[in-house]
Amino acid sequence: PAEKAMVCFGSMFIELPKAKTREILQQDQEELDKEINNLRKELRVKVNRLYEAQGKPELKGFNLNPMSAEEMKLINRILEG
């Protein structure tokens, strides 16, 4: 049916309404984004501690944040014309 989508959860396929499927996928993506950001923050701290333990200066530019999807779209628009 046009209003349903097949979704794979683990090793099982389930047919769900498209709206519910979209909601589940958006929630999963938000959780993944949060987890990725937390891991990036932790990595920065660990790398700084490692460099400090080795007696090396702190990395410059390592505290930069990635651009958001919206920022990337705007830059692509500017570059295209």
Side-chain angles (χ1 to χ4, degrees):
E3 295 299 318
K4 296 205 174 199
M6 294 292 288
V7 184
C8 180
F9 290 108
S11 61
M12 185 172 38
F13 281 92
I14 300 174
E15 191 172 26
L16 294 172
K18 281 187 178 181
K20 183 66 176 172
T21 303
R22 180 171 298 197
E23 180 183 325
I24 291 170
L25 290 173
Q26 285 175 339
Q27 288 174 351
D28 284 350
Q29 188 62 50
E30 287 172 8
E31 286 180 36
L32 290 171
D33 288 340
K34 287 178 188 176
E35 188 174 337
I36 288 168
N37 287 331
N38 287 337
L39 290 171
R40 282 183 179 148
K41 288 176 187 175
E42 290 174 14
L43 179 64
R44 290 175 183 156
V45 171
K46 289 177 181 179
V47 168
N48 283 333
R49 260 194 265 145
L50 177 63
Y51 269 69
E52 185 179 313
Q54 293 175 343
K56 294 180 181 177
E58 185 176 322
L59 286 175
K60 293 184 181 186
F62 192 67
N63 291 325
L64 298 175
N65 292 320
M67 287 194 269
S68 68
E70 186 175 316
E71 291 170 328
M72 285 300 297
K73 285 179 188 175
L74 292 172
I75 287 179
N76 285 333
R77 270 194 218 149
I78 291 170
L79 293 175
E80 288 174 357

